């Protein structure tokens, strides 16, 4: 069974902190792994995509790593801001579809 | 270049009615995916379509649900005789080529929130 687990389910931190969101997956035959942001009542915004042959990707204050052998990915957010408050979803690309975790609900307190 | 369009954005139906959800992919995209997000859960794959073909419907419930992507017009996800458990957000995504060539992203629409009373 294909599964993606995200820990923690929810996280609340003060503004300015660096934080790490975790994602683990059971399927070793992934093509890529993506991190998305979802705001309440909105669609998904792709943040970072890591190909299966890559180890990490960076975009601004975001850094995502991928370790296929252990089935883990992390999203690192530096110097968090209130605007970072959202649900963060991790998903891997299987043959025809994306398999999503249940998300981490992040709240950054001013 | 407009993104993926979905309509309606919100849909209210009573039990037993039919729900039709529409998805217009990004310009130049010929592959459409439907996902369902139940409350407090992640997105679950439902179906993958190309123009006039269903490629993978392994995530579709066996009854009451159907999807199409005609040669002309939007992709339609149809739910017959809705029940309260169908209440969810339904997201459509599109891509320009068949995966997994390249590390391309599926581009998501804003979703349709279905509420069954």
């Amino acid at each position: 069974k294909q599964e993606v687990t995200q820990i923690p389910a929810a996280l609340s931190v003060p503004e300015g902190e660096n934080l790490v969101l975790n994602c683990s997956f059971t399927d070793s035959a992934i093509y890529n792994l993506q991190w998305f942001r979802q705001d309440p009542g909105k669609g998904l915004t792709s943040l970072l995509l890591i190909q299966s042959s890559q180890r990490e990707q960076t975009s601004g204050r975001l850094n995502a790593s991928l370790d296929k052998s252990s089935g883990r990915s992390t999203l690192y957010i530096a110097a968090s801001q209130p605007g970072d408050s959202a649900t963060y979803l991790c998903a891997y690309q299987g043959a025809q579809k994306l398999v999503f975790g249940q998300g981490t609900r992040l709240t950054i307190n001013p | 270049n407009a993104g993926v369009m979905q309509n309606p954005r919100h849909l209210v139906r009573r039990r037993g009615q039919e729900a039709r959800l529409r998805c217009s992919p990004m310009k130049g995209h010929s592959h459409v995916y439907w996902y369902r997000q139940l409350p407090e859960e992640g997105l679950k794959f439902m179906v993958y379509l190309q123009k006039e073909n269903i490629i993978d419907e392994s995530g579709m419930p066996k009854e009451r649900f159907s999807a199409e992507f005609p040669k002309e017009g939007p992709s339609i996800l149809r739910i017959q005789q809705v029940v309260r458990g169908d209440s969810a957000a339904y997201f459509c995504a599109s891509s320009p080529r068949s995966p997994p060539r390249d590390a391309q992203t599926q581009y998501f629409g804003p979703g349709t929130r279905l509420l069954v009373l």
Side-chain angles (χ1 to χ4, degrees):
Chain A
K1 182 182 176 182
Q2 298 169 323
E3 285 190 355
V4 179
T5 303
Q6 291 189 244
I7 295 173
L11 181 63
S12 181
V13 301
E15 180 178 4
E17 283 202 5
N18 302 323
L19 52 97
V20 175
L21 307 182
N22 296 292
C23 171
S24 61
F25 48 94
T26 55
D27 192 343
S28 61
I30 68 169
Y31 294 102
N32 60 58
L33 186 132
Q34 287 185 250
W35 284 91
F36 292 88
R37 169 184 173 138
Q38 184 177 27
D39 292 282
K42 300 288 181 63
L44 277 67
T45 301
S46 180
L47 298 173
L48 289 166
L49 184 150
I50 311 174
Q51 298 184 37
S52 61
S53 58
Q54 297 177 324
R55 298 281 294 184
E56 65 177 338
Q57 283 286 339
T58 298
S59 175
R61 295 182 294 108
L62 305 179
N63 175 275
S65 67
L66 173 63
D67 184 344
K68 276 185 62 178
S69 62
S70 65
R72 296 178 187 275
S73 177
T74 60
L75 178 66
Y76 176 82
I77 303 176
S80 58
Q81 302 171 359
D84 295 331
S85 297
T87 296
Y88 290 80
L89 297 167
C90 136
Y92 72 81
Q93 173 104 39
Q96 306 283 6
K97 61 193 180 188
L98 292 172
V99 181
F100 284 85
Q102 78 280 17
T104 293
R105 187 180 304 141
L106 177 64
T107 303
I108 308 298
N109 301 304
Chain B
N1 186 12
V4 179
M5 308 290 284
Q6 289 189 249
N7 66 82
R9 294 290 304 275
H10 299 273
L11 182 61
V12 179
R13 285 288 179 266
R14 296 190 181 280
R15 282 179 296 170
Q17 291 184 320
E18 178 179 289
R20 281 183 178 244
L21 288 63
R22 295 174 183 78
C23 169
S24 297
M26 288 180 68
K27 186 176 182 180
H29 287 193
S30 58
H31 300 258
V32 165
Y33 313 80
W34 286 93
Y35 294 84
R36 176 167 66 175
Q37 185 176 35
L38 295 169
E40 305 301 321
E41 293 188 15
L43 280 73
K44 303 291 186 186
F45 169 79
M46 299 182 75
V47 62
Y48 163 43
L49 310 101
Q50 296 178 20
K51 287 282 188 180
E52 299 183 282
N53 284 302
I54 297 175
I55 307 302
D56 181 355
E57 57 181 348
S58 59
M60 287 278 272
K62 298 299 181 199
E63 298 178 349
R64 302 187 297 108
F65 284 72
S66 62
E68 63 177 6
F69 189 17
K71 186 176 180 181
E72 300 291 337
S75 175
I76 305 289
L77 179 67
R78 181 185 180 200
I79 311 172
Q80 295 178 291
Q81 299 177 321
V82 297
V83 301
R84 285 191 175 145
D86 296 333
S87 295
Y90 292 81
F91 289 94
C92 167
S94 72
S95 67
R97 288 191 302 275
S98 171
R101 285 179 295 164
D102 301 325
Q104 65 196 28
T105 303
Q106 294 181 16
Y107 299 86
F108 281 81
T112 293
R113 271 79 185 169
L114 172 66
L115 175 63
V116 180
L117 301 177

